[in-house]
Amino acid sequence: QVQLAESGGGSVQAGESLTLSCEGPGYIGGRTRTQAGCMGWFRQAPGKEREIIAAIYIVNGDTFYADSVKGRFTVSQDNAKKILSLQMNSLKPEDTAMYYCAADPAGLFCYDVDGYNSWGQGTQVTVSA
């Protein structure tokens, strides 16, 4: 059973923007009396390992960004709609990859990739020069 589903990918030119969304039964934001949990965005380019690029600590909204996307990407959670979003601005050709979301229900340090599970199937982002 797919726990999360990503959407919003597409083909754009460098400098343009895209917004990715992630939703599904695996969404963990908005839980009451929770003291842990992270939701994150990852990407994997052809021939490269999957990397975490952004994450949000669902308890207080603290965010983490990889250096490669800091200042250009923004992760946010809408607990009413149970959607995790990734606003991507000033896209570059090197941002081309399959993008995934995942949840770490027990996460305390959202940059730690080991606890993430409930993966989606990904959405492709292609940025041309």
Side-chain angles (χ1 to χ4, degrees), residues 82-119:
K82 297 186 177 181
I83 294 176
L84 180 75
S85 297
L86 183 68
Q87 174 68 41
M88 306 187 296
N89 298 327
S90 302
L91 283 162
K92 305 175 181 180
E94 51 263 45
D95 294 319
T96 295
M98 185 71 79
Y99 283 70
Y100 302 88
C101 65
D104 178 0
L108 294 176
F109 305 103
C110 295
Y111 52 82
D112 183 354
V113 302
D114 290 340
Y116 284 92
N117 52 35
S118 299
W119 293 91

Side-chain angles (χ1 to χ4, degrees), residues 10-67:
S11 296
V12 298
Q13 293 189 329
E16 295 185 339
S17 300
L18 281 174
T19 300
L20 305 184
S21 296
C22 169
E23 57 188 316
Y27 182 86
I28 60 172
R31 298 182 304 181
T32 58
R33 296 189 297 275
T34 185
Q35 296 185 11
C38 302
M39 291 207 69
W41 285 99
F42 296 72
R43 68 185 181 188
Q44 186 168 20
K48 295 187 177 181
E49 293 188 354
R50 185 165 54 192
E51 61 172 340
I52 185 168
I53 56 170
I56 190 164
Y57 187 50
I58 65 169
V59 177
N60 60 10
D62 281 352
T63 55
F64 159 81
Y65 296 97
D67 288 344

